[in-house]
Amino acid sequence: MKNLTQLSNRISPRELRYQGGFSLLESVVSLSISLVVTAAMVALMANSLGNTSRIVSMTKLSDDLRSTMQMLTRDVRRASYNAGAFRCYANEDCFSDGTVVMAADIVINDDENCFTFQLDRGHDGDSTDDAAGGFRLSMDGDVGALEMWTGDGDSEADCDAEAGGSWVVVTNPATMNITDFNVDDALSYIQVITDDGAGNTISQRVRKIRFRVDAQLVAAPNVTRRMEDVISIRNDFLDQTVAGL
Protein backbone atom coordinates (compact mmCIF):
# COMPACT_ATOMS: atom_id res chain seq x y z
CA MET A 1 0.00 0.00 0.00
CA LYS A 2 2.83 2.27 0.81
CA ASN A 3 4.45 1.56 -2.57
CA LEU A 4 1.23 2.45 -4.44
CA THR A 5 0.95 5.72 -2.54
CA GLN A 6 4.52 6.60 -3.37
CA LEU A 7 3.97 5.74 -7.06
CA SER A 8 0.85 7.89 -7.26
CA ASN A 9 2.71 10.78 -5.71
CA ARG A 10 5.35 10.52 -8.46
CA ILE A 11 2.76 10.72 -11.35
CA SER A 12 1.59 14.19 -12.05
CA PRO A 13 -2.06 14.96 -12.99
CA ARG A 14 -0.88 15.82 -16.54
CA GLU A 15 0.59 12.31 -16.97
CA LEU A 16 -2.62 10.72 -15.70
CA ARG A 17 -4.66 12.71 -18.25
CA TYR A 18 -2.62 11.35 -21.19
CA GLN A 19 -3.07 7.68 -20.16
CA GLY A 20 -6.71 7.51 -21.42
CA GLY A 21 -8.15 5.12 -24.15
CA PHE A 22 -8.11 5.43 -27.98
CA SER A 23 -8.77 8.78 -29.51
CA LEU A 24 -11.77 9.31 -31.84
CA LEU A 25 -9.50 9.25 -34.91
CA GLU A 26 -7.89 5.99 -33.82
CA SER A 27 -11.32 4.42 -33.25
CA VAL A 28 -12.56 5.50 -36.68
CA VAL A 29 -9.45 4.09 -38.39
CA SER A 30 -9.73 0.80 -36.50
CA LEU A 31 -13.44 0.51 -37.34
CA SER A 32 -12.74 1.22 -41.02
CA ILE A 33 -10.07 -1.47 -41.19
CA SER A 34 -12.39 -3.96 -39.47
CA LEU A 35 -15.17 -3.19 -41.96
CA VAL A 36 -12.85 -3.67 -44.93
CA VAL A 37 -11.60 -7.01 -43.61
CA THR A 38 -15.15 -8.17 -42.82
CA ALA A 39 -16.40 -7.14 -46.29
CA ALA A 40 -13.55 -9.04 -47.93
CA MET A 41 -14.35 -12.17 -45.90
CA VAL A 42 -18.07 -11.93 -46.76
CA ALA A 43 -17.25 -11.51 -50.46
CA LEU A 44 -14.91 -14.51 -50.35
CA MET A 45 -17.54 -16.67 -48.67
CA ALA A 46 -20.23 -15.55 -51.13
CA ASN A 47 -17.95 -16.38 -54.05
CA SER A 48 -17.19 -19.81 -52.61
CA LEU A 49 -20.88 -20.53 -52.07
CA GLY A 50 -21.65 -19.33 -55.59
CA ASN A 51 -19.01 -21.63 -57.09
CA THR A 52 -20.33 -24.54 -55.05
CA SER A 53 -23.89 -23.85 -56.20
CA ARG A 54 -22.75 -23.66 -59.82
CA ILE A 55 -20.85 -26.95 -59.54
CA VAL A 56 -23.92 -28.65 -58.02
CA SER A 57 -26.12 -27.24 -60.79
CA MET A 58 -23.74 -28.39 -63.56
CA THR A 59 -23.51 -31.83 -61.95
CA LYS A 60 -27.29 -32.15 -61.89
CA LEU A 61 -27.58 -31.02 -65.50
CA SER A 62 -24.86 -33.47 -66.56
CA ASP A 63 -26.56 -36.35 -64.72
CA ASP A 64 -29.94 -35.57 -66.30
CA LEU A 65 -28.42 -35.35 -69.78
CA ARG A 66 -26.40 -38.53 -69.29
CA SER A 67 -29.53 -40.44 -68.26
CA THR A 68 -31.35 -39.14 -71.32
CA MET A 69 -28.52 -40.10 -73.67
CA GLN A 70 -28.27 -43.59 -72.15
CA MET A 71 -31.97 -44.18 -72.69
CA LEU A 72 -31.82 -42.84 -76.24
CA THR A 73 -28.77 -44.80 -77.36
CA ARG A 74 -29.89 -48.01 -75.65
CA ASP A 75 -33.16 -47.95 -77.60
CA VAL A 76 -31.60 -46.96 -80.91
CA ARG A 77 -28.96 -49.72 -80.80
CA ARG A 78 -31.79 -52.18 -81.36
CA ALA A 79 -33.10 -50.41 -84.47
CA SER A 80 -34.02 -52.81 -87.30
CA TYR A 81 -33.54 -55.81 -85.01
CA ASN A 82 -35.33 -58.92 -86.30
CA ALA A 83 -35.45 -62.21 -84.38
CA GLY A 84 -35.70 -64.19 -87.62
CA ALA A 85 -32.62 -62.72 -89.27
CA PHE A 86 -30.72 -65.97 -88.69
CA ARG A 87 -32.94 -67.54 -91.39
CA CYS A 88 -31.03 -65.49 -93.96
CA TYR A 89 -27.98 -67.70 -93.59
CA ALA A 90 -27.69 -69.81 -96.77
CA ASN A 91 -30.85 -68.09 -98.04
CA GLU A 92 -30.02 -64.93 -99.90
CA ASP A 93 -33.69 -64.42 -100.81
CA CYS A 94 -34.93 -64.49 -97.21
CA PHE A 95 -36.39 -60.99 -97.44
CA SER A 96 -37.90 -61.25 -100.90
CA ASP A 97 -39.54 -64.65 -100.32
CA GLY A 98 -41.17 -63.56 -97.07
CA THR A 99 -39.10 -65.73 -94.75
CA VAL A 100 -38.18 -62.61 -92.78
CA VAL A 101 -40.17 -59.38 -92.66
CA MET A 102 -37.50 -56.73 -92.24
CA ALA A 103 -38.06 -53.63 -90.14
CA ALA A 104 -38.16 -50.23 -91.73
CA ASP A 105 -34.92 -48.28 -91.87
CA ILE A 106 -33.97 -45.38 -89.63
CA VAL A 107 -35.46 -42.17 -91.02
CA ILE A 108 -33.99 -38.76 -90.13
CA ASN A 109 -36.07 -35.69 -90.92
CA ASP A 110 -34.74 -32.77 -92.95
CA ASP A 111 -34.12 -30.61 -89.87
CA GLU A 112 -32.06 -33.42 -88.29
CA ASN A 113 -33.84 -32.92 -84.96
CA CYS A 114 -36.07 -36.00 -85.22
CA PHE A 115 -35.63 -39.62 -86.28
CA THR A 116 -37.75 -42.75 -86.31
CA PHE A 117 -36.96 -46.45 -86.52
CA GLN A 118 -38.58 -49.87 -86.24
CA LEU A 119 -37.61 -53.17 -84.63
CA ASP A 120 -38.99 -56.61 -83.86
CA ARG A 121 -40.01 -56.05 -80.25
CA GLY A 122 -42.18 -59.15 -80.29
CA HIS A 123 -39.24 -61.42 -81.29
CA ASP A 124 -41.46 -63.20 -83.84
CA GLY A 125 -39.58 -62.33 -87.03
CA ASP A 126 -42.21 -59.80 -88.15
CA SER A 127 -41.30 -56.19 -87.47
CA THR A 128 -44.38 -54.62 -89.06
CA ASP A 129 -46.72 -55.40 -86.15
CA ASP A 130 -44.49 -54.05 -83.40
CA ALA A 131 -44.08 -50.67 -81.80
CA ALA A 132 -42.01 -48.21 -83.73
CA GLY A 133 -39.50 -45.93 -82.06
CA GLY A 134 -38.34 -42.38 -82.43
CA PHE A 135 -37.00 -39.29 -80.68
CA ARG A 136 -37.49 -35.63 -81.50
CA LEU A 137 -37.01 -32.10 -80.18
CA SER A 138 -40.25 -30.41 -79.20
CA MET A 139 -40.51 -26.70 -78.38
CA ASP A 140 -43.05 -25.10 -76.07
CA GLY A 141 -42.35 -21.40 -76.33
CA ASP A 142 -38.68 -20.91 -75.54
CA VAL A 143 -38.28 -24.20 -73.66
CA GLY A 144 -37.36 -27.39 -75.51
CA ALA A 145 -37.82 -31.02 -74.48
CA LEU A 146 -36.98 -34.43 -75.93
CA GLU A 147 -39.92 -36.66 -76.81
CA MET A 148 -40.05 -40.40 -77.50
CA TRP A 149 -42.44 -42.15 -79.89
CA THR A 150 -44.44 -44.95 -78.28
CA GLY A 151 -46.96 -45.75 -81.03
CA ASP A 152 -47.56 -49.26 -82.35
CA GLY A 153 -46.55 -50.64 -85.74
CA ASP A 154 -49.88 -49.69 -87.33
CA SER A 155 -49.30 -46.00 -86.68
CA GLU A 156 -46.19 -44.75 -88.42
CA ALA A 157 -44.08 -42.35 -86.39
CA ASP A 158 -44.60 -38.79 -87.57
CA CYS A 159 -42.01 -36.14 -86.71
CA ASP A 160 -44.53 -33.38 -87.44
CA ALA A 161 -47.33 -34.76 -85.28
CA GLU A 162 -48.76 -32.64 -82.49
CA ALA A 163 -47.37 -33.12 -79.00
CA GLY A 164 -49.11 -35.70 -76.88
CA GLY A 165 -50.61 -38.98 -77.98
CA SER A 166 -47.85 -41.29 -79.14
CA TRP A 167 -45.14 -38.70 -78.41
CA VAL A 168 -44.16 -38.76 -74.73
CA VAL A 169 -41.88 -36.20 -73.05
CA VAL A 170 -38.78 -37.85 -71.56
CA THR A 171 -37.00 -34.76 -70.19
CA ASN A 172 -38.35 -32.37 -67.58
CA PRO A 173 -38.98 -28.94 -69.18
CA ALA A 174 -39.54 -27.45 -65.73
CA THR A 175 -35.87 -27.90 -64.83
CA MET A 176 -33.97 -28.55 -68.08
CA ASN A 177 -34.28 -26.68 -71.37
CA ILE A 178 -33.11 -28.66 -74.42
CA THR A 179 -31.82 -25.87 -76.65
CA ASP A 180 -30.71 -28.11 -79.53
CA PHE A 181 -30.96 -31.74 -80.63
CA ASN A 182 -29.13 -32.94 -83.71
CA VAL A 183 -28.86 -36.39 -85.28
CA ASP A 184 -27.11 -37.47 -88.49
CA ASP A 185 -25.70 -40.55 -90.18
CA ALA A 186 -22.85 -38.88 -92.06
CA LEU A 187 -20.38 -41.42 -90.66
CA SER A 188 -22.19 -44.42 -92.21
CA TYR A 189 -20.49 -46.34 -95.02
CA ILE A 190 -20.85 -49.33 -97.36
CA GLN A 191 -18.49 -52.28 -96.94
CA VAL A 192 -18.13 -54.90 -99.67
CA ILE A 193 -18.00 -58.37 -98.17
CA THR A 194 -17.59 -60.47 -101.33
CA ASP A 195 -16.90 -59.55 -104.94
CA ASP A 196 -16.37 -62.21 -107.62
CA GLY A 197 -15.07 -59.66 -110.13
CA ALA A 198 -18.02 -60.19 -112.46
CA GLY A 199 -20.29 -57.64 -110.82
CA ASN A 200 -21.78 -60.03 -108.27
CA THR A 201 -21.24 -58.57 -104.82
CA ILE A 202 -22.59 -58.75 -101.33
CA SER A 203 -22.26 -55.53 -99.35
CA GLN A 204 -22.96 -54.55 -95.79
CA ARG A 205 -24.05 -51.08 -94.83
CA VAL A 206 -22.46 -50.05 -91.58
CA ARG A 207 -24.67 -47.43 -90.00
CA LYS A 208 -23.31 -44.96 -87.47
CA ILE A 209 -25.66 -42.46 -85.87
CA ARG A 210 -24.30 -39.34 -84.21
CA PHE A 211 -26.31 -37.51 -81.55
CA ARG A 212 -25.72 -34.09 -80.03
CA VAL A 213 -27.82 -32.58 -77.24
CA ASP A 214 -27.42 -29.04 -75.87
CA ALA A 215 -29.20 -28.11 -72.65
CA GLN A 216 -29.37 -25.44 -69.98
CA LEU A 217 -30.94 -25.18 -66.56
CA VAL A 218 -34.24 -23.30 -66.55
CA ALA A 219 -33.47 -21.74 -63.16
CA ALA A 220 -29.92 -20.79 -64.21
CA PRO A 221 -29.69 -20.27 -68.00
CA ASN A 222 -25.96 -19.54 -67.72
CA VAL A 223 -25.41 -23.19 -66.69
CA THR A 224 -25.16 -25.08 -69.99
CA ARG A 225 -23.98 -28.51 -71.07
CA ARG A 226 -23.44 -30.38 -74.34
CA MET A 227 -23.24 -34.13 -74.82
CA GLU A 228 -22.39 -36.07 -77.98
CA ASP A 229 -22.36 -39.76 -78.77
CA VAL A 230 -21.80 -41.92 -81.85
CA ILE A 231 -23.28 -45.41 -81.93
CA SER A 232 -23.12 -48.23 -84.43
CA ILE A 233 -26.40 -49.92 -85.31
CA ARG A 234 -25.86 -53.61 -84.69
CA ASN A 235 -28.47 -54.80 -87.17
CA ASP A 236 -26.95 -53.59 -90.43
CA PHE A 237 -28.44 -54.53 -93.78
CA LEU A 238 -26.88 -56.90 -96.29
CA ASP A 239 -27.38 -56.04 -99.94
CA GLN A 240 -26.76 -58.39 -102.86
CA THR A 241 -26.04 -57.08 -106.34
CA VAL A 242 -26.23 -59.61 -109.18
CA ALA A 243 -24.72 -58.73 -112.56
CA GLY A 244 -27.28 -58.36 -115.35
CA LEU A 245 -30.24 -57.81 -113.02
Side-chain angles (χ1 to χ4, degrees), residues 81 83-84 120-126 130:
Y81 162 76
D120 181 14
R121 293 187 190 272
H123 307 285
D124 57 2
D126 185 356
D130 294 314

Side-chain angles (χ1 to χ4, degrees), residues 9 15 24 28 54 58 63 66 84-85 89 91 115 152 154 183 191 197 206 216 231 233 235:
N9 292 333
E15 291 176 329
L24 178 61
V28 170
R54 180 179 176 84
M58 291 192 68
D63 290 343
R66 187 174 294 108
Y89 289 103
N91 180 12
F115 70 97
D152 57 28
D154 295 331
V183 53
Q191 176 176 281
V206 179
Q216 64 181 194
I231 66 171
I233 305 301
N235 308 291

Side-chain angles (χ1 to χ4, degrees), residues 18-245:
Y18 281 102
Q19 290 182 3
F22 292 107
S23 66
L24 178 61
L25 179 59
E26 290 173 334
S27 299
V28 170
V29 172
S30 300
L31 181 61
S32 299
I33 294 175
S34 299
L35 289 175
V36 170
V37 173
T38 303
M41 292 178 62
V42 170
L44 180 61
M45 292 180 61
N47 185 59
S48 299
L49 292 175
N51 288 337
T52 302
S53 177
R54 180 179 176 84
I55 291 173
V56 171
S57 298
M58 291 192 68
T59 301
K60 174 176 173 51
L61 182 60
S62 297
D63 290 343
D64 290 345
L65 265 184
R66 187 174 294 108
S67 298
T68 301
M69 289 291 287
Q70 287 177 349
M71 177 187 62
L72 186 154
T73 56
R74 184 173 59 247
D75 208 32
V76 176
R77 287 184 193 278
R78 298 181 293 169
S80 301
Y81 162 76
N82 190 291
F86 69 92
R87 299 189 181 96
C88 290
Y89 289 103
N91 180 12
E92 61 191 28
D93 300 320
C94 60
F95 294 129
S96 61
D97 65 10
T99 302
V100 177
V101 180
M102 193 62 190
D105 194 8
I106 292 177
V107 178
I108 302 174
N109 71 340
D110 293 337
D111 294 331
E112 295 187 336
N113 62 3
C114 173
F115 70 97
T116 60
F117 58 93
Q118 203 168 35
L119 65 149
D120 181 14
R121 293 187 190 272
H123 307 285
D124 57 2
D126 185 356
S127 305
T128 61
D129 61 352
D130 294 314
F135 290 86
R136 73 174 182 178
L137 174 63
S138 177
M139 300 297 297
D140 184 6
D142 296 330
V143 179
L146 281 184
E147 294 182 336
M148 180 176 65
W149 177 266
T150 58
D152 57 28
D154 295 331
S155 55
E156 185 177 353
D158 182 6
C159 286
D160 297 323
E162 294 293 329
S166 295
W167 285 106
V168 178
V169 176
V170 295
T171 59
N172 187 358
T175 59
M176 182 168 61
N177 177 20
I178 304 298
T179 57
D180 189 32
F181 174 58
N182 181 266
V183 53
D184 69 74
D185 59 351
L187 298 177
S188 300
Y189 60 92
I190 302 295
Q191 176 176 281
V192 176
I193 298 177
T194 63
D195 185 353
D196 62 5
N200 301 314
T201 63
I202 296 179
S203 302
Q204 180 184 35
R205 182 181 57 184
V206 179
R207 289 175 297 168
K208 292 182 178 293
I209 308 297
R210 176 170 52 195
F211 302 102
R212 188 189 73 237
V213 182
D214 293 336
Q216 64 181 194
L217 287 178
V218 173
N222 61 318
V223 179
T224 61
R225 193 76 168 87
R226 166 178 289 187
M227 282 195 177
E228 297 186 32
D229 198 1
V230 178
I231 66 171
S232 295
I233 305 301
R234 298 170 180 170
N235 308 291
D236 293 314
F237 289 137
L238 291 178
D239 179 56
Q240 181 184 37
T241 302
V242 180
L245 296 181

